[in-house]
Amino acid sequence: MTVVLHVLEALEGGTARHVTDLVRHVDDITHHVAVPPRRVGGMTDTLAVPAMEAAGATVHRLDMRRMPLSPRNAASLVGLRRLVSRLRPDIVHGHSAIGGALARLAAADSRARRVYTPNGLHPSVIAMNLERGLGALTDRWIAVAPSEAAVAEARGIASRGRMVTIPNGIALRTVDSDTEGGSSADTRRGVDIRHLLGLAGEGPLIGFVGRLVAQKAPEMVIEATALLCRQRPDVKAVMIGSGPREDAVRSLIRERGLTESVHLVPYLPRAATVMDQFDVLLLPSRYEGCPYTVLEAMRAGTPVVLSDAVGNRDLVVDGLTGRLVRQGHPEETAAALVDVVDDPGAARRRAEAAEARLAERHDVRHMAAATAAVYAELA
């Protein structure tokens, strides 16, 4: 049986979800997963490792860190090399930037074939140069969105012959945790957000779910909500997530006088279960891979407003399945939100079209089958 060793540093959010789904749905594979004991510099998803183990993976703990030059990563590289030597995997599959780099370096002198899924390419020059340098150690580069693949090819990071595009996928029906498992894959009814936050009235509710980091542009949620509240004072926004920008987010909420309108929830297990309580999901990211938050909103029938960024633009046909706006333009973002909350009929029709697009392009079974084909080809 083919043995795959997955390596990921990002023990939270979409990347952990992605690996759990691969373990669960890619059959006839012995899955091992190397993860850190906890996420340093961010919220640790305490449900991620149990979900991986429940899906059938053997989990190994290595103290990887988000910062590339951390001494802990050097020690983890030594540990990964020992793990590769002991397990003798057929495939070493790195996920996210640090996990991808450590995985390929650890397997460089082994017989294992090396696969990398970045789940979002950092656009900085330094990051692009590092990715380009690691390209020689990559047997197969998996992009999770066509626009991500286009960037990788244009920047000389991955050649077309070594690259394949496999969009992220989710279960297309409501399931319980016994059959699907995992924090973000559980779609049972969650907490009542309005009751949890003590929100009175029936005004529109804008949702944001994501890490409070530069990539996700959380400040844009606040700026757009401030503009929107001038026209619709009854609007409320809920931001679910934490991260290094949490203090800055709280400060901006106070500065804009939005303490009664914008509410921050640093941690909410099974955030996918509240998607259907939002009137619109806003994701104003600077770049993405193929964000699970958006897929889950579409499955819940929730309208979406996204920045026209790498990764996001592959999920929405503007005006047909959602709204796309220029990244970094709060006025344009606020106008798109007004379009959604003031015309719920049109928003509902777009959400229905988005559900159909989801079924066609983002079924987790299709993602698993395509990934299994990559493993079979290489092994």
Side-chain angles (χ1 to χ4, degrees):
M1 183 177 289
T2 300
V3 176
V4 176
L5 171 61
H6 302 272
V7 182
L8 73 155
E9 176 276 331
L11 196 57
E12 64 178 357
T15 307
R17 160 73 176 278
H18 183 79
V19 173
T20 302
D21 282 344
L22 290 179
V23 172
R24 179 175 293 111
H25 293 285
V26 179
D27 299 324
D28 300 322
I29 296 285
T30 299
H31 293 276
H32 292 264
V33 182
V35 297
R38 62 191 179 94
R39 177 68 181 267
V40 176
M43 183 70 70
T44 298
D45 183 352
T46 58
L47 302 177
V49 168
M52 292 174 191
E53 292 176 330
T58 301
V59 176
H60 308 267
R61 303 297 189 122
L62 291 167
D63 195 12
M64 295 173 277
R65 298 294 174 90
R66 186 72 172 175
M67 296 301 294
L69 299 180
S70 169
R72 299 300 181 96
N73 285 338
S76 294
L77 179 57
V78 174
L80 271 176
R81 283 176 172 164
R82 291 173 180 163
L83 190 59
V84 169
S85 178
R86 178 164 62 86
L87 296 177
R88 302 188 66 188
D90 301 285
I91 307 288
V92 176
H93 191 163
H95 304 264
S96 79
I98 302 302
L102 292 174
R104 287 174 285 178
L105 291 170
D109 297 326
S110 74
R111 68 179 184 86
R113 308 301 295 274
R114 298 171 296 274
V115 179
Y116 174 46
T117 304
N119 269 300
L121 276 172
H122 196 292
S124 74
V125 173
I126 293 175
M128 290 291 180
N129 286 338
L130 290 173
E131 292 285 8
R132 197 175 296 113
L134 288 165
L137 299 178
T138 311
D139 294 300
R140 192 67 77 246
W141 207 98
I142 298 180
V144 295
S147 57
E148 184 180 64
V151 169
E153 185 176 0
R155 298 295 183 89
I157 293 171
S159 65
R160 186 172 300 182
R162 289 189 179 186
M163 183 165 49
V164 60
T165 301
I166 304 175
N168 287 343
I170 62 174
L172 299 179
R173 59 186 178 84
T174 302
V175 292
D176 62 30
S177 59
D178 293 332
T179 58
E180 188 69 9
S183 58
S184 57
D186 186 352
T187 59
R188 295 174 298 174
R189 180 72 179 179
V191 300
D192 186 319
I193 283 291
R194 292 181 186 269
H195 178 75
L196 175 69
L197 299 175
L199 301 180
E202 298 295 328
L205 191 61
I206 299 168
F208 165 88
V209 181
R211 293 172 294 126
L212 302 183
V213 295
Q215 175 198 349
K216 302 292 182 178
E219 71 282 353
M220 193 56 53
V221 178
I222 301 166
E223 300 291 8
T225 302
L227 294 171
L228 179 59
C229 283
R230 297 176 185 176
Q231 301 180 56
R232 292 290 302 264
D234 59 336
V235 163
K236 307 293 183 185
V238 177
M239 302 179 70
I240 300 174
S242 65
R245 292 205 169 187
E246 183 172 337
D247 289 342
V249 165
R250 292 186 185 277
S251 295
L252 187 57
I253 291 172
R254 291 192 297 268
E255 289 172 13
R256 296 294 183 265
L258 295 173
T259 54
E260 298 299 318
S261 299
V262 179
H263 301 266
L264 182 60
V265 182
Y267 182 59
L268 184 67
R270 299 183 174 92
T273 61
V274 303
M275 283 292 179
D276 61 348
Q277 298 178 46
F278 299 143
D279 292 279
V280 56
L281 177 81
L282 173 59
L283 190 64
S285 312
R286 290 177 169 88
Y287 66 95
E288 286 288 350
C290 181
Y292 280 102
T293 296
V294 178
L295 302 182
E296 288 163 347
M298 289 177 170
R299 178 173 61 188
T302 299
V304 298
V305 173
L306 313 179
S307 60
D308 187 11
V310 170
N312 279 351
R313 65 175 62 114
D314 302 291
L315 296 177
V316 165
V317 179
D318 186 36
L320 179 62
T321 61
R323 290 301 314 275
L324 283 178
V325 297
R326 288 180 296 168
Q327 201 286 319
H329 288 259
E331 295 85 1
E332 193 171 316
T333 304
L337 292 172
V338 169
D339 176 49
V340 173
V341 300
D342 279 358
D343 192 347
R348 184 167 52 254
R349 289 190 293 273
R350 287 194 289 262
E352 290 171 354
E355 286 188 77
R357 185 178 175 89
L358 182 76
E360 178 185 345
R361 298 173 180 234
H362 298 284
D363 188 326
V364 69
R365 295 168 297 180
H366 299 162
M367 180 188 81
T371 305
V374 171
Y375 292 161
E377 175 192 0
L378 295 177

